[in-house]
Amino acid sequence: MRAVIVDCAIYRDGRRTEVPSDLAAALAEARATGDAFLWIGLYEPTEREVERVSSQFALHPLAVEDALSAHQRPKLEVYDDSLFAVIKPVVYEHLSDKVTADELMAFVGDSFVVTVRHGEGAPLAAVRRRLEAEPEVLRHGPTAVLYAISDAVVDHYIEVAGELQTDLEELETEVFAPTGSQDSKNTASRIYTFKRQIMEFRRAAGPLAAPMARLAGADVPFVHEHSQPFFRDVSDHLTRANEYVEGLDRLLSDILSAHLAQVGVRQNDDMRKISAWAAMAAVPTMVAGIYGMNFEHMPELGWVWAYPAVIGLMGSVVFALYRQFKRRGWL
C-alpha cells in the first residue's frame, strides 16, 4: 500500500505535521482539533488499494469506480460525504510534437483530501511544495488543495497552447512559402495530425469549464465559503485557454483549406502544361499520319521540296502554338 501512496501528511494551521501510519488514526487526528486536514496522494492504485482507502474515508462507490477506470471527462460530482472532481492535465511532448492527456481525481471531504493520479502529466509534488510554502493558503483547508491543483493544471493549459501556437506558425510558414510544399500529401497529413492534437487538448480543457464555473459559484459542499474569487480566477484563465485553442483550431482549418486550394491550383497548372504539350505534339502527329496512309496518288510525294516543306510546316505550326501558350502562361 505504501508503494502507491506518493505522499501523506496532516496540515494543521497551514503547517505540515507528522502523520500516524494508520489511515483511520490519521483522519481521526485531523478531525480532532477542527483546524487540520489530511492529504493523501495516490498514483495509479489498484482496485484493492483504492477500496482500502475508500473504506477509511467513506468514499462513494460510484466515485471510486470512476477513479479506477481512468477514462473520465472532467466533471464535478457532489456526494453525501465528499466532493469528487476529475481534471485532465495535458502534456506536450517536444520530440514528437504530440499532446497527451492524463487524469487526476480529487476527493474532498470533511478534513481530508485524496488525490488519485493516472499518468505522468500531473505531478503534484510541485503543487504540494508550493502550498507548504504558503501556510496562509493552506489554512483554508482541503479547498486550498483543490484550488491549487486546478490552478496549476489550467496554467499549464496556457503553456501548452503557446507551444501549439509556435508549431502552427511553423506549419503556416511551410504551407505559404513562395515555392510551396512539394510533398502535398505529407503536408496534409501533418495538418490533420496537428488537428488531432488540438482535438485532444479541447477534450481535456473544454468540459472543465462547467466544474470551474460551479466551484466559482456558491453553495458547493466541502468548499470554503470565501474561495469563490479564487476559482473564478481559475475559470477566467480556463476560458482564455479554451478561446486560444479554439482560435488555433479555426486557423488550422483555414490553413488546410488554403493548402488544398494550392494543391488544386498546382494541379490545374500541370494539366494546362500537359494539354499545351499534347496540342503541340498533335500537329506533327496529324500531318505524319496523313502522309503515312500509303496512297499512290498523292501529288506532294513527287515534289522535290515536299519533305522539307512538310517538316517546315510542322515546325512552324508547333512554334506558333508554343508562342501562344507561352504568352498565356500555360508553359
Side-chain angles (χ1 to χ4, degrees):
M1 184 65 194
R2 283 291 176 180
V4 299
I5 297 181
V6 179
D7 202 347
C8 180
I10 294 177
Y11 296 91
R12 179 172 286 106
D13 194 28
R15 303 289 182 180
R16 180 172 181 141
T17 62
E18 294 295 329
V19 60
S21 58
D22 183 67
L23 294 181
L27 182 59
E29 181 179 334
R31 288 173 171 171
T33 58
D35 63 346
F37 71 94
L38 176 65
W39 181 4
I40 299 177
L42 305 179
Y43 176 68
E44 296 186 351
T46 64
E47 182 177 357
R48 181 180 178 183
E49 292 161 345
V50 172
E51 286 179 353
R52 291 181 60 183
V53 175
S54 64
S55 62
Q56 299 293 334
F57 295 93
L59 304 179
H60 198 279
L62 291 178
V64 172
E65 182 181 351
D66 289 343
L68 284 171
S69 63
H71 293 288
Q72 303 296 318
R73 284 168 55 89
K75 62 180 180 178
L76 181 68
E77 300 286 350
V78 178
Y79 298 100
D80 294 335
D81 299 319
S82 63
L83 186 72
F84 178 63
V86 178
I87 303 174
K88 295 181 74 69
V90 295
V91 178
Y92 178 82
E93 300 176 5
H94 291 273
L95 295 179
S96 59
D97 294 337
K98 185 178 180 182
V99 174
T100 57
D102 295 323
E103 294 196 24
L104 176 62
M105 292 84 167
F107 296 89
V108 179
D110 180 20
S111 302
F112 72 87
V113 178
V114 178
T115 55
V116 181
R117 182 164 61 93
H118 294 272
E120 300 292 337
L124 296 180
V127 175
R128 191 184 288 262
R129 286 195 300 269
R130 191 185 74 181
L131 283 174
E132 290 176 355
E134 300 176 350
E136 65 280 2
V137 177
L138 272 176
R139 289 191 183 98
H140 291 86
T143 304
V145 177
L146 182 58
Y147 159 72
I149 293 173
S150 304
D151 185 57
V153 170
V154 172
D155 284 347
H156 192 60
Y157 283 169
I158 298 177
E159 295 177 7
V160 173
E163 297 285 354
L164 292 175
Q165 173 69 35
T166 302
D167 287 348
L168 185 58
E169 289 174 355
E170 295 176 357
L171 183 60
E172 185 178 17
T173 301
E174 176 184 334
V175 171
F176 293 104
T179 56
S181 177
Q182 299 300 322
D183 192 356
S184 60
K185 183 178 180 180
N186 183 57
T187 301
S189 176
R190 286 188 58 194
I191 294 175
Y192 276 114
T193 301
F194 201 105
K195 201 168 184 64
R196 290 187 64 86
Q197 308 311 315
I198 296 292
M199 185 181 299
E200 185 71 18
F201 188 105
R202 297 183 69 176
R203 284 200 191 105
L208 187 59
M212 288 297 105
R214 188 176 179 186
L215 288 170
D219 300 329
V220 179
F222 309 107
V223 175
H224 196 277
E225 58 182 356
H226 299 301
S227 64
Q228 284 82 11
F230 298 95
F231 284 109
R232 196 153 47 239
D233 180 68
V234 175
S235 181
D236 291 341
H237 290 177
L238 179 61
T239 300
R240 187 176 68 175
N242 283 328
E243 290 176 350
Y244 197 173
V245 175
E246 185 178 351
L248 294 180
D249 191 30
R250 288 197 299 267
L251 182 58
L252 190 60
S253 298
D254 294 340
I255 291 175
L256 178 59
S257 299
H259 172 66
L260 295 178
Q262 286 181 333
V263 172
V265 170
R266 285 197 293 268
Q267 289 178 342
N268 288 337
D269 289 341
D270 293 340
M271 287 302 299
R272 287 191 297 180
K273 291 178 181 179
I274 294 173
S275 299
W277 286 111
M280 288 187 291
V283 172
T285 301
M286 180 186 66
V287 175
I290 293 175
Y291 282 93
M293 290 188 292
N294 297 323
F295 290 115
E296 291 185 10
H297 303 289
M298 295 182 71
E300 299 87 349
L301 296 180
W303 297 352
V304 177
W305 298 100
Y307 178 75
V310 171
I311 296 298
L313 175 64
M314 290 190 294
S316 299
V317 175
V318 170
F319 181 73
L321 289 174
Y322 177 82
R323 290 289 302 274
Q324 185 69 14
F325 290 140
K326 192 71 173 178
R327 186 180 300 111
R328 294 189 177 186
W330 285 37
L331 293 174

